[in-house]
Amino acid sequence: MAGRLAGCGKAYLPATCGEEKPALKGRTGAAIDRAKSNSPNKQEVIMASERTFSIIKPDATKRNLTGAINQKIEAAGLRIVGQKRIKMSQSQAEGFYGVHKERPFFKSLVAFMTSGPVVVQVLQGDNAVLKYREVMGATDPAKANVGTIRKEFAESIEANSVHGSDSPENAKIEIEFFFKPEEIVD
Ligand code: ATP
Ligand code: MG
C-alpha cells in the first residue's frame, strides 16, 4: 500500500499504516471505536493500532531512569517494539530538531541531546501518539500533570527526560529517521 509505515503489518488499520479509510478520516480514539462498532469487519476493531516515536533523553539515562520511564510507558498499554541505546551525533540532533532551528534554545538543545546516551524507541498501541503525549506530560515539568513522566522525572523545560512524536505523520518520519524496518519487531 502506498505510504504504508515501514515495517507495518497487514494487521493494522489503514489509519495508522498509510491512507485512512474515508469513513474513519479525521476521527480519533473513541470516535473510531464508535465507527468501528458499526463496521461489518469486526477484526478491525480488535486490531486498531498506531506507532509513535520516543526518546529517553540524556538527563534520564544519566540518572538510570530508563526502566522507571519504560514502566510508565508499558503500564499505559504501549508496547516497545523497537529500542536502541545510542549517542546522537551533532548532525542527527540538528536534523531531528530542525523544526526548531530558529528558536533561541536550538543550540543548547542540540548540545544537550548529544551530551550523553539516549534510548530511541518505537511504541505501539491504540491511539499511541496521543496516549504517549499524555503519559509524558507538558514540555515544562512545572506545568505537567501529576503522575506523568515529566512531572516525576524532568529536571527542566530543556532537560525534560523524554521526547514523543506530536502527530502520526511526524511519528512515521521520526521512526524512519532512526530505525530500519527490520529493527522493529512486534
Ligand atoms: P519533544 O518534541 O521533545 O517531545 P515537546 O513536543 O513537548 O517536546 P517542543 O516544543 O517540540 O516540545 O520542544 C522540543 C524540545 O525542546 C523540548 O522537549 C525541550 O527539550 C526543548 N525546549 C522546548 N522549549 C524550550 C525552552 N523554552 N527552553 C529550553 N528548551 C526548550
Ligand atoms: Mg515536539
Side-chain angles (χ1 to χ4, degrees):
M1 183 198 299
R4 187 170 216 148
L5 266 183
C8 217
K10 64 174 182 263
Y12 298 92
L13 273 178
T16 63
C17 296
E19 281 303 297
E20 291 185 22
K21 281 187 172 172
L24 299 182
K25 209 159 190 129
R27 303 192 196 182
T28 56
I32 287 180
D33 289 340
R34 276 197 303 281
K36 283 183 301 200
S37 68
N38 298 323
S39 166
N41 185 354
K42 293 289 178 197
Q43 249 200 326
E44 284 186 351
V45 177
I46 297 160
M47 293 179 175
S49 195
E50 186 171 74
R51 285 177 177 170
T52 191
F53 177 70
S54 154
I55 304 177
I56 300 178
K57 296 184 179 181
D59 68 287
T61 59
K62 187 176 65 191
R63 289 176 288 147
N64 238 7
L65 291 172
T66 300
I69 287 170
N70 279 338
Q71 196 165 27
K72 283 187 180 290
I73 288 172
E74 292 185 330
L78 294 166
R79 185 172 293 274
I80 301 164
V81 296
Q83 183 181 58
K84 51 191 173 185
R85 184 177 173 97
I86 61 166
K87 179 87 163 25
M88 240 190 239
S89 68
Q90 175 92 6
S91 67
Q92 272 179 317
E94 285 173 355
F96 184 77
Y97 280 118
V99 67
H100 295 305
K101 66 175 181 296
E102 305 304 332
R103 308 280 286 274
F105 57 81
F106 178 70
K107 231 178 130 188
S108 169
L109 177 61
V110 169
F112 165 61
M113 291 301 290
T114 56
S115 68
V118 299
V119 179
V120 291
Q121 303 188 129
V122 182
L123 311 181
Q124 182 173 296
D126 289 349
N127 222 6
V129 170
L130 192 61
K131 188 179 281 182
Y132 182 47
R133 296 287 293 189
E134 285 170 5
V135 173
M136 287 198 305
T139 311
D140 181 352
K143 296 181 183 152
N145 289 335
V146 172
T148 60
I149 292 170
R150 284 167 167 169
K151 182 70 174 186
E152 224 160 286
F153 302 124
E155 293 181 322
S156 67
I157 192 169
E158 178 178 87
N160 60 1
S161 300
V162 280
H163 161 82
S165 310
D166 58 14
S167 67
E169 296 71 29
N170 284 337
K172 181 179 185 305
I173 293 165
E174 292 173 3
I175 289 168
E176 288 174 356
F177 194 89
F178 285 103
F179 285 88
K180 299 185 190 122
E182 63 269 26
E183 291 174 323
I184 303 170
V185 182
D186 58 14

